[in-house]
Amino acid sequence: MSRTLARRASAEFAGTALLVTAVVGSGITAARLSPGDVGLQLLENAIATAFALGALILMVGPVSGAHLNPVVSAVDWWLGRRAGTGLTGPDLAGYAVAQVAGAIAGAVLANVMFDLSPVAWASTPRTGGNLLLAEVVATAGLVVLIVALARSGRTAAASAAVGAYIGAAYWFTSSTSFANPAVTVGRAFTDTFAGIAPSSVPGFVAAQLVGGLVAVAAIAAWYPHPERAADAVVVPPLAEETARP
């Protein structure tokens, strides 16, 4: 791994870890502060997640682009693969590994901060075709939003727009919008409000990958020459971070 990729992957690791820490930690806090009121717990969890995601995009975006999501990284690679823009194949592999590892680390960190067992497999099943459809919708919408912002030169709004979308999708999808394979894996490591049983993870991840494919089809139909935006997903990294070693 090159020094440049290592630096960018470390940012993806840290950003994804802190995102999952925010999701899990705010879920634990919500369950403790608002026992018996699931609606209020979800509202508290959604607000904290949306704000944290927006802040993390601002923090790690200048280093890695703040993908924080293997589907976003895969679509970025796909869009730019022929034009030499966006992620390379090795970049994609490095990002995906860092994102999944970061998500697991983030769940462990949240567990420890709240005096729980570092690893406790989630016991909350999330099954059913309606939830899988919701993950397709949530993931497709997220990816199209990100590419639309990049393609139209509005990446300055990405932190607010992406945070707002995820916060809203907590409520308009029946799955509460995981929309991220790495985050899904990480949330299997915590038996708390935000957890997902390991047996439910493959279905969610498969649905998220389908959502990515739906997004690619929509992008091809709606945004001519999307490869021109691949270097700016989610936000454009600083020039020195994208230079080839």
Side-chain angles (χ1 to χ4, degrees), residues 113-211:
M113 285 199 302
F114 285 90
D115 199 26
L116 302 175
S117 173
V119 174
W121 296 113
S123 59
T124 304
R126 300 178 189 265
T127 58
N130 62 314
L131 299 187
L132 300 182
L133 175 60
E135 282 301 294
V136 172
V137 171
T139 308
L142 173 64
V143 174
V144 172
L145 169 63
I146 288 168
V147 175
L149 292 171
R151 185 65 182 87
S152 59
R154 293 177 294 164
T155 54
S159 61
V162 173
Y165 176 86
I166 290 298
Y170 259 78
W171 290 88
F172 73 71
T173 65
S174 58
S175 63
T176 67
S177 183
F178 284 44
N180 185 327
V183 169
T184 302
V185 171
R187 288 170 67 167
F189 285 74
T190 180
D191 193 17
T192 59
F193 179 81
I196 176 173
S199 60
S200 300
V201 168
F204 264 51
V205 171
Q208 291 154 1
L209 295 176
V210 171

Side-chain angles (χ1 to χ4, degrees), residues 6-244:
R7 184 167 57 247
R8 295 167 69 189
S10 70
E12 288 292 303
F13 174 90
T16 310
L18 289 173
L19 174 59
V20 174
T21 299
V23 172
V24 174
S26 63
I28 295 171
T29 297
R32 292 180 178 180
L33 295 180
S34 308
D37 191 335
V38 178
L40 182 55
Q41 292 171 11
L42 184 63
L43 178 61
E44 293 161 346
N45 190 208
I47 291 173
T49 299
F51 284 173
L53 179 55
L56 289 168
I57 289 172
L58 293 174
M59 183 175 76
V60 304
V63 183
S64 66
H67 292 192
L68 313 180
N69 186 329
V71 173
V72 172
S73 296
V75 171
D76 184 52
W77 165 78
W78 177 261
L79 294 179
R81 71 196 190 285
R82 294 179 179 172
T85 55
L87 297 183
T88 65
D91 289 343
L92 173 59
Y95 270 44
V97 170
Q99 290 155 355
V100 173
I104 295 170
V108 171
L109 176 60
N111 288 338
V112 172
M113 285 199 302
F114 285 90
D115 199 26
L116 302 175
S117 173
V119 174
W121 296 113
S123 59
T124 304
R126 300 178 189 265
T127 58
N130 62 314
L131 299 187
L132 300 182
L133 175 60
E135 282 301 294
V136 172
V137 171
T139 308
L142 173 64
V143 174
V144 172
L145 169 63
I146 288 168
V147 175
L149 292 171
R151 185 65 182 87
S152 59
R154 293 177 294 164
T155 54
S159 61
V162 173
Y165 176 86
I166 290 298
Y170 259 78
W171 290 88
F172 73 71
T173 65
S174 58
S175 63
T176 67
S177 183
F178 284 44
N180 185 327
V183 169
T184 302
V185 171
R187 288 170 67 167
F189 285 74
T190 180
D191 193 17
T192 59
F193 179 81
I196 176 173
S199 60
S200 300
V201 168
F204 264 51
V205 171
Q208 291 154 1
L209 295 176
V210 171
L213 294 175
V214 171
V216 167
I219 291 163
W222 297 341
Y223 301 101
H225 305 293
E227 68 278 0
R228 296 175 183 173
D231 277 335
V233 172
V234 172
V235 295
L238 297 176
E240 59 266 28
E241 300 299 336
T242 57
R244 303 300 181 198

